Amino acid sequence: MAFRWCAWKKTAAGLAFAGAMSISGLTAVPAANAEEPEWHHATALTGTPKYGPEVTHFDYVDPDAPKGGTVRLASSGGFDTFNILAQKGHAAPGILTVYESLMEPSLDEEDISAQYGVLAEAVRFPDDFSWVEYRMNPDARWHDGEPVTAEDVVWSFEKAIELDPRRKFYYQNVSSVEIVGDRTIRFTFDTSGNRELPKIMGQLTVLPKHWWNGTDDKGRARDISRASLEPPLGSGPYKIKEFSPNRQVIYTRVEDYWGKNLPIRAGTHNFDEIRYISFLDDAVRFEAFKGDQYDYHVERSSSQWAKRYDFPATRDGRVVKEIFPDNSSGVMQGFFLNLRREKFQNPDIRQALNYAYDFETTNEIVSANLLKRVNSYFAGTELASSGLPEGKELEILEEVRDMVPPEVFTEEYQNPVGGNPQNVRANLREAVKLFRKAGYELKDRKMIDPKTGEQFTIEFLYTDKGRERTLLPYAKNLESIGIKPVLRLIDVSQYVNRVRSRDFDTVVLAVGQSLSPGNEQREYWGSESADNPSSANYAGIKNPAIDKLIDKVIFAEDRETLVAATHALDRVLLWNHYVVPQFYSDETRTARWNRFAHPEKMPEYGTGFPDIWWYDEELAAKTGAAK
């Protein structure tokens, strides 16, 4: 159930209510009369939610954490709208702190898909998952004091699918939504047996219908379909205090926030202000961090982590480096090849491009050997396939045997290994063989299509000049086998437009995966999404075997089947060579100006920053006031 698009990503939270819940595989325990399903305070895909209705706070927070202070964060690319449904423009960083969803996850459960109510005080659904009902918390309020209503939920859903094609696709199984009681909303589905659908609806971000149907301070009617820089009305723990488009937005904590005394909010949202400062260039952003222009930096460059943190503030302790394990998600990061281009439709060509990529040398020279090679679409998790298929996974794959590469059954997928001249030369020879198998010829040191006489060319789109550290060695290898690489550095807006319009050969993308995959797999790899310009199927994959395996994941009845089906899906994706896999890290590397503290027991999944951290006056006094 990994929904990773930026405007939808939510932080962890939960809520305790009357009425215990005991479910297995997200199956609600029926009421005593076996007529209606019971109401519950939480859901879990497998097993039982960790926190019962009597809980006062999550284990990974300090319920007595002090309130106050400011934290300054950095963002990239600027912003020009606060409207999360607008299809044009870039939404402001942190905008979701203004809003609430029906339910949210915690950060420390064995079943990472467990959700607890926020705007909804309770949830119920039948054994066949054909519908779900949410009962609204009567205390939920917008910042203007008006109640958050069932009508707001229905309106938010209808506007989401009306205005956003990706949300419409994601919610495609919802056949109707209706108010069935004073505070109760029912979503009815066009299918049964999909245990994830009730949880998907809990992710819905709720917007204020009365505000959007009103007028602004100049008497103009608001239009939710258009980008807007009018600070929106929300129901969350923060609201916008001030802003400068494309430069900075400041959120201030809502003192009379309706949910501040809920058990799920204990020890969270401790900062009086959260500031997001926008930078257009990563190099400038890092220099700004060194100069104390913002407080907390997540370092995604292993090379920079290894080589660029020896500056005065780290040496004297004013800046603290801390590494947190990343157990919360998997990832496929790589060169996504656009199958809509005829030259990439042959899997031999796609595999040859992987043989030309020398990860090991790049990792050593550029990244100080701090990265791992991506070997799965779910790299870093138990969902990554390995070895040869057996047991339940093999049973699932047998159903698509005639539709998948035979290697799926006979060979463990392995990326080519470089790292020394002998291996690299052998890999490049194999790449040339694959190109020849696909009908190309190496003439005058150029890889030529004999039908057209044209040299094979591949254009790499990117927005950050720092990417050239890894692109240039790859380009050199491609040139050595007659391929013409074109490195195209463009601005963010042009990049977004070209990716959206599918006008690219290859781009480096990272598709994140949760530990409970489900319906979003259709969005990433399903045939139906391939021709949708708003989808996340960037490669343009259309493969009926993959469609069948995605359904196996979605309709898995228990964790064992879910894992087996995901292994099968992963294996078939890998053997089709849609992506040249790059690298990943299973840890989060952070640096911060030493003004902040966190609970002694940290969550298993994520750093919880800034939600469960707080401003430490004593540390700040030693470090010095922020600039």
Side-chain angles (χ1 to χ4, degrees):
M1 193 179 56
F3 206 82
R4 298 280 173 170
W5 306 321
C6 60
W8 286 36
K9 192 173 182 180
K10 298 288 285 182
T11 55
L15 183 55
F17 305 102
M21 184 178 198
S22 175
I23 53 179
S24 176
L26 198 61
T27 303
V29 177
N33 60 12
E35 295 281 336
E36 292 285 336
E38 290 182 355
W39 289 99
H40 302 291
H41 78 289
T43 65
L45 203 61
T46 58
T48 302
K50 175 179 179 179
Y51 297 100
E54 75 289 342
V55 74
T56 59
H57 61 83
F58 286 172
D59 291 344
Y60 55 80
V61 303
D62 181 346
D64 300 318
K67 306 289 186 183
T70 295
V71 61
R72 302 165 303 163
L73 305 175
S75 66
S76 298
F79 66 93
D80 54 13
T81 183
F82 295 127
N83 182 3
I84 64 172
L85 291 185
Q87 294 304 289
K88 292 185 178 180
H90 300 285
I95 189 61
L96 286 182
T97 61
V98 170
Y99 297 112
E100 297 284 23
S101 56
L102 291 170
M103 304 187 79
E104 290 181 8
S106 68
L107 286 176
D108 68 339
E109 309 219 15
E110 182 177 343
D111 185 341
I112 197 172
S113 67
Q115 288 184 341
Y116 297 81
V118 185
L119 291 175
E121 70 170 3
V123 59
R124 68 176 184 173
F125 42 84
D127 292 343
D128 66 356
F129 314 105
S130 58
W131 54 264
V132 62
E133 289 182 355
Y134 291 95
R135 190 174 68 218
M136 300 297 290
N137 189 320
D139 295 328
R141 291 288 184 274
W142 299 106
H143 295 157
D144 63 358
E146 291 293 314
V148 183
T149 66
E151 189 176 5
D152 288 321
V153 177
V154 173
W155 183 83
S156 297
F157 173 80
E158 291 175 342
K159 287 299 178 182
I161 62 174
E162 172 190 340
L163 300 175
D164 189 341
R166 296 177 73 170
R167 288 172 168 87
K168 183 176 182 179
F169 183 85
Y170 192 58
Y171 292 139
Q172 63 179 302
N173 292 119
V174 179
S175 59
S176 67
V177 56
E178 57 186 327
I179 299 172
V180 294
D182 183 36
R183 294 183 286 116
T184 303
I185 311 99
R186 174 181 285 201
F187 295 93
T188 302
F189 308 123
D190 62 6
T191 185
S192 60
N194 187 339
R195 65 191 56 238
E196 193 181 30
L197 288 176
K199 296 175 63 58
I200 285 176
M201 304 321 301
Q203 299 170 344
L204 181 69
T205 299
V206 180
L207 306 176
K209 177 182 179 181
H210 72 283
W211 187 84
W212 278 104
N213 285 344
T215 57
D216 62 19
D217 57 3
K218 296 181 180 179
R220 296 174 299 196
R222 297 186 178 98
D223 185 351
I224 197 171
S225 69
R226 301 173 65 88
S228 171
L229 282 170
E230 181 184 10
L233 180 71
S235 62
Y238 288 91
K239 62 182 178 181
I240 294 172
K241 177 182 178 181
E242 58 184 89
F243 67 95
S244 177
N246 288 316
R247 297 184 64 184
Q248 178 176 259
V249 57
I250 302 175
Y251 299 91
T252 185
R253 187 158 52 85
V254 177
E255 287 296 333
D256 59 351
Y257 166 53
W258 69 272
K260 64 182 178 181
N261 294 320
L262 293 172
I264 61 162
R265 295 307 191 212
T268 69
H269 305 124
N270 301 313
F271 294 101
D272 283 346
E273 285 189 358
I274 302 177
R275 300 185 185 186
Y276 287 88
I277 305 165
S278 294
F279 298 92
L280 298 179
D281 182 272
D282 286 345
V284 173
R285 179 171 65 175
F286 184 65
E287 291 303 315
F289 173 73
K290 290 166 60 178
D292 196 9
Q293 297 301 303
Y294 65 95
D295 295 304
Y296 186 87
H297 183 76
V298 177
E299 185 53 73
R300 306 193 185 282
S301 167
S302 295
S303 173
Q304 194 152 283
W305 183 257
K307 302 173 183 178
R308 297 193 60 188
Y309 279 82
D310 185 19
F311 53 90
T314 57
R315 291 195 293 268
D316 63 25
R318 287 177 295 144
V319 167
V320 176
K321 296 171 65 179
E322 189 168 5
I323 296 176
F324 299 91
D326 184 0
N327 304 315
S328 62
S329 62
V331 67
M332 165 52 83
Q333 176 171 309
F335 299 97
F336 278 61
L337 305 171
N338 188 357
L339 272 67
R340 302 168 187 87
R341 302 276 169 95
E342 184 178 356
K343 60 186 173 183
F344 297 124
Q345 291 176 5
N346 189 319
D348 292 326
I349 295 295
R350 304 195 296 265
Q351 185 179 14
L353 294 175
N354 193 9
Y355 271 101
Y357 179 58
D358 180 10
F359 161 76
E360 287 75 18
T361 300
T362 301
N363 190 32
E364 179 181 2
I365 295 175
V366 176
S367 303
N369 283 322
L370 293 175
L371 297 173
K372 297 181 178 180
R373 184 79 194 267
V374 167
N375 61 353
S376 165
Y377 280 71
F378 303 84
T381 74
E382 68 165 334
L383 301 170
S385 60
S386 62
L388 294 178
E390 58 184 21
K392 187 164 289 190
E393 179 191 354
L394 181 58
E395 292 176 15
I396 292 170
L397 285 169
E398 287 290 354
E399 298 183 31
V400 294
R401 177 181 279 273
D402 296 337
M403 306 165 66
V404 303
E407 295 89 346
V408 165
F409 296 92
T410 60
E411 297 181 40
E412 179 181 11
Y413 179 86
Q414 298 282 353
N415 286 306
V417 177
N420 61 60
Q422 294 80 12
N423 286 353
V424 172
R425 284 195 296 270
N427 288 340
L428 291 176
R429 285 195 294 269
E430 189 63 31
V432 171
K433 288 181 183 178
L434 287 166
F435 264 95
R436 285 174 172 159
K437 181 182 176 183
Y440 282 79
E441 297 177 358
L442 189 57
K443 274 187 183 180
D444 300 324
R445 304 182 70 178
K446 293 182 180 181
M447 191 63 70
I448 300 297
D449 181 348
K451 298 176 184 177
T452 64
E454 295 180 354
Q455 182 180 12
F456 191 95
T457 301
I458 181 168
E459 181 186 56
F460 296 83
L461 288 186
Y462 57 103
T463 61
D464 179 10
K465 192 170 179 62
R467 284 201 181 273
E468 292 177 359
R469 293 194 301 271
T470 56
L471 285 174
L472 288 171
Y474 188 26
K476 182 178 179 181
N477 284 351
L478 293 171
E479 285 179 329
S480 72
I481 59 173
I483 296 171
K484 180 181 179 181
V486 178
L487 274 58
R488 188 81 66 197
L489 176 65
I490 57 179
D491 63 45
V492 173
S493 295
Q494 187 179 1
Y495 177 87
V496 170
N497 289 334
R498 287 193 60 178
V499 171
R500 283 178 176 172
S501 63
R502 309 314 194 209
D503 180 19
F504 65 89
D505 282 347
T506 184
V507 288
V508 174
L509 296 169
V511 175
Q513 296 279 8
S514 84
L515 300 183
S516 296
N519 288 265
E520 77 289 340
Q521 303 305 309
R522 289 172 174 164
E523 172 73 14
Y524 297 157
W525 331 113
S527 298
E528 190 177 349
S529 66
D531 295 327
N532 182 348
S534 299
S535 81
N537 189 345
Y538 301 106
I541 297 170
K542 289 184 178 181
N543 186 320
I546 288 174
D547 294 337
K548 288 179 178 293
L549 293 174
I550 289 173
D551 281 346
K552 291 290 185 180
V553 172
I554 291 173
F555 290 97
E557 296 181 354
D558 51 50
R559 181 69 184 178
E560 180 186 4
T561 305
L562 175 67
V563 172
T566 306
H567 285 170
L569 172 63
D570 182 39
R571 202 179 297 274
V572 174
L573 285 167
L574 287 168
W575 276 111
N576 276 284
H577 308 291
Y578 296 126
V579 175
V580 177
Q582 281 192 313
F583 41 76
Y584 75 102
S585 174
D586 55 7
E587 56 189 19
T588 301
R589 304 181 184 105
T590 70
R592 67 181 184 272
W593 284 86
N594 196 16
R595 304 181 179 105
F596 312 99
H598 60 68
E600 182 177 351
K601 180 181 180 181
M602 291 292 283
E604 182 176 358
Y605 301 112
T607 65
F609 192 90
D611 291 354
I612 66 173
W613 294 53
W614 60 89
Y615 189 83
D616 190 305
E617 296 280 0
E618 184 176 345
L619 289 175
K622 296 177 181 178
T623 301
K627 296 181 180 179

